[in-house]
């Protein structure tokens, strides 16, 4: 039951994009199509989970053991960059169409503050490894949910006629704000 609560908290209450405002670049840049958003969400899920696992182990057994906590951010960024390169190579071979549709945003996972933010949050919250992985998967699912919802809204808005002053970026920002306010309704639902 504890893990279900953590997932609900991570997906809805403490959504990485809509509540913490981490990962806004891919949220605004890749969310033109639902299929692309799902692909980006899957890539972020993979990288975020693997990054949390590796950074948790490095933090626990190397940085803390040697009192090198001040190197945390640098080490975490290097680990994430290496993992993104691995995902890029895998996607290029397995799904060239998804690789092309993600374009420049795939390498941007390296600098996606959501991936780094979750890896650091897990350490700050003093989670066990299993709890950290559950929390990370929940955060990645929340990232994907926000991306897919927003992409669906953007696809629908493309079909509608927008006034010239509200087309493109202005309506996207207004819609993102309304979606963030909708997720604020989950505040207080569960606490961890």
């Amino acid at each position: 039951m504890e893990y279900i609560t953590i997932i609900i908290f991570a997906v809805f209450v403490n959504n990485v994009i809509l509540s913490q405002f981490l990962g806004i670049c891919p949220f605004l840049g890749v969310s033109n199509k639902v299929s692309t958003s799902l692909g980006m969400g899957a890539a972020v899920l993979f990288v975020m989970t693997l990054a949390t696992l590796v950074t948790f182990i490095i933090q626990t057994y190397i940085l803390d053991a040697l009192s090198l906590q001040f190197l945390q951010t640098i080490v975490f960024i290097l680990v994430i960059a290496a993992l993104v390169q691995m995902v890029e190579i895998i996607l290029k071979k397995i799904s060239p169409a998804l690789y092309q549709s993600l374009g420049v945003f795939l390498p941007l996972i390296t600098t996606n503050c959501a991936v780094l933010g979750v890896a650091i949050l897990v350490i700050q919250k003093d989670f066990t490894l299993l709890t950290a992985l559950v929390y990370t998967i929940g955060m990645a699912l929340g990232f994907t949910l926000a991306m897919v919802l927003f992409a669906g809204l953007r696809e629908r808005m493309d079909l509608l006629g927008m006034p010239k002053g509200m087309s493109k970026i202005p309506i996207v920002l207004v819609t993102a704000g309304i979606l963030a306010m909708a997720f604020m309704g989950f505040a207080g639902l569960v606490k961890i």
Side-chain angles (χ1 to χ4, degrees):
M1 188 64 180
E2 174 190 352
Y3 297 125
I4 294 170
T5 304
I6 290 171
I7 289 176
I8 291 171
F9 177 78
V11 172
F12 297 108
V13 178
N14 201 22
N15 187 284
V16 72
I17 293 176
L18 300 172
S19 296
Q20 295 186 20
F21 305 111
L22 297 173
I24 297 294
C25 181
F27 178 67
L28 295 174
V30 182
S31 61
N32 292 329
K33 295 181 183 175
V34 172
S35 59
T36 307
S37 295
L38 278 171
M40 179 60 114
V44 167
L45 172 71
F46 181 74
V47 170
M48 196 180 280
T49 305
L50 211 54
T52 299
L53 176 67
V54 172
T55 56
F56 186 91
I57 291 168
I58 289 172
Q59 179 74 36
T60 304
Y61 296 108
I62 298 173
L63 299 179
D64 288 346
L66 300 173
S67 297
L68 297 171
Q69 292 90 347
F70 63 93
L71 292 175
Q72 180 187 56
T73 305
I74 295 168
V75 170
F76 284 17
I77 289 171
L78 291 173
V79 167
I80 291 166
L83 291 173
V84 169
Q85 289 300 312
M86 185 178 73
V87 168
E88 194 169 359
I89 291 167
I90 291 169
L91 269 183
K92 197 172 191 179
K93 289 187 187 252
I94 291 176
S95 180
L98 179 59
Y99 176 78
Q100 289 295 329
S101 67
L102 291 175
V104 71
F105 292 101
L106 185 59
L108 286 178
I109 294 176
T110 303
T111 58
N112 186 344
C113 55
V115 177
L116 178 61
V118 169
I120 291 173
L121 278 172
V122 163
I123 302 299
Q124 288 177 347
K125 291 182 181 283
D126 268 344
F127 285 146
T128 63
L129 182 58
L130 183 59
T131 307
L133 289 175
V134 170
Y135 180 76
T136 300
I137 290 169
M139 290 299 251
L141 291 174
F143 180 90
T144 306
L145 175 68
M147 292 278 293
V148 169
L149 284 173
F150 195 58
L153 291 170
R154 286 182 75 172
E155 283 182 0
R156 178 80 174 137
M157 286 186 299
D158 287 343
L159 299 174
L160 301 173
M162 289 288 159
K164 188 174 182 178
M166 283 300 287
S167 65
K168 305 212 185 216
I169 297 298
I171 194 65
V172 166
L173 294 175
V174 168
T175 305
I178 292 171
L179 194 57
M181 287 187 344
F183 269 71
M184 285 176 61
F186 294 113
L189 182 67
V190 292
K191 292 191 186 277
I192 61 167

